[in-house]
Amino acid sequence: DTAVSQTPKYLVTQMGNDKSIKCEQNLGHDTMYWYKQDSKKFLKIMFSYNNKELIINETVPNRFSPKSPDKAHLNLHINSLELGDSAVYFCASSWTSDSDTQYFGPGTRLTVL
Amino acid sequence: SQQGEEDPQALSIQEGENATMNCSYKTSINNLQWYRQNSGRGLVHLILIRSNEREKHSGRLRVTLDTSKKSSSLLITASRAADTASYFCATDAGNTGNQFYFGTGTSLTVIP
């Protein structure tokens, strides 16, 4: 059984389009995260939600909008996609919002043409 | 920023040898974690060491933490081909412990 799942696994789209990536965790965790990993493998946190409430919002363009309908889901919607948005996006979850082990999804490779 | 920096960037060893990776960070922490990422996959948690601990073991993994030098090391003993992966350290930011900072990782290749 997959603990943290993301869809789609691959996403290829044109500049200017709007796309969404979905994330679900079945671990019963309270906190979920979105990370962006660039081509140099640098992994940077974008957002964190605790029980559906936003607790971390790094310096991310407002074209990126996370949505958490319930604590098991954290989706990422991206408007007006740009070439620089090409990366692998990882969803993760943890029991609490304090420093804790994070469980990562398999990633979504986004390619903007 | 608090970003952890792993060293070396890449490491290639023969199966059976030990592999040592280092991580340096900039500000105080509550804990430091090591993660593994196989090619094309998500990160998998390996081990967590708290700021009041100096050494921790888990199977073939040994992690040390020196808070005075703001550095940590991950030792993998008796390496196997299946250990081939990228290894990342993740640090929190001390008082604001709900945010993790990762570096660019060490890419380990274990040659059979």
Side-chain angles (χ1 to χ4, degrees):
Chain A
D1 290 337
T2 304
V4 182
S5 59
Q6 295 178 229
T7 55
K9 188 168 175 62
Y10 299 97
L11 186 52
V12 181
T13 187
Q14 299 286 334
M15 261 195 326
N17 284 349
D18 302 339
K19 291 293 178 185
S20 292
I21 307 172
K22 295 185 176 181
C23 177
E24 176 180 3
Q25 54 95 3
N26 62 5
L27 298 167
H29 290 169
D30 282 348
T31 309
M32 296 183 73
Y33 312 81
W34 276 110
Y35 287 88
K36 177 181 180 180
Q37 187 174 46
D38 63 23
S39 58
K40 295 183 179 179
K41 292 193 173 180
F42 176 50
L43 193 67
K44 183 175 169 61
I45 191 166
M46 301 172 68
F47 301 103
S48 173
Y49 270 72
N50 186 59
N51 265 322
K52 302 192 296 177
E53 290 193 14
L54 181 67
I55 56 171
I56 294 174
N57 183 353
E58 284 293 282
T59 308
V60 176
N62 57 15
R63 298 181 296 103
F64 290 78
S65 53
K67 285 187 173 52
S68 182
D70 55 62
K71 74 172 193 178
H73 295 83
L74 180 61
N75 303 322
L76 183 64
H77 188 76
I78 315 170
N79 289 327
S80 304
L81 278 156
E82 300 177 357
L83 293 176
D85 297 332
S86 295
V88 181
Y89 292 83
F90 287 98
C91 177
S93 69
S94 64
W95 281 111
T96 70
S97 58
D98 292 329
S99 296
D100 207 347
T101 300
Q102 296 187 10
Y103 295 78
F104 281 77
T108 295
R109 181 174 291 277
L110 171 66
T111 303
V112 182
L113 303 175
Chain B
S1 75
Q2 172 67 324
Q3 175 188 339
E5 293 182 12
E6 293 88 350
D7 171 64
Q9 287 190 334
L11 180 61
S12 184
I13 59 174
Q14 296 288 332
E15 202 165 30
E17 294 181 339
N18 296 340
T20 299
M21 289 156 269
N22 303 296
C23 169
S24 59
Y25 56 93
K26 294 178 182 173
T27 67
S28 63
I29 60 172
N30 293 317
N31 65 55
L32 181 146
Q33 303 183 45
W34 284 91
Y35 286 79
R36 183 186 74 230
Q37 183 180 32
N38 289 86
S39 180
R41 309 289 293 273
L43 279 75
V44 174
H45 178 259
L46 294 176
I47 197 165
L48 179 151
I49 186 166
R50 302 198 184 280
S51 58
N52 61 353
E53 296 176 311
R54 291 296 167 258
E55 187 169 314
K56 204 158 183 182
H57 296 255
S58 177
R60 294 183 295 112
L61 305 181
R62 172 178 168 253
V63 168
T64 61
L65 178 64
D66 187 336
T67 53
S68 66
K69 295 182 179 178
K70 294 186 171 56
S71 67
S72 173
S73 67
L74 170 67
L75 168 67
I76 304 174
T77 60
S79 64
R80 303 167 183 168
D83 294 328
T84 295
S86 291
Y87 292 82
F88 294 83
C89 69
T91 56
D92 62 21
N95 291 332
T96 56
N98 60 354
Q99 191 160 337
F100 285 92
Y101 298 90
F102 289 82
T104 53
T106 291
S107 177
L108 173 66
T109 301
V110 181
I111 303 167

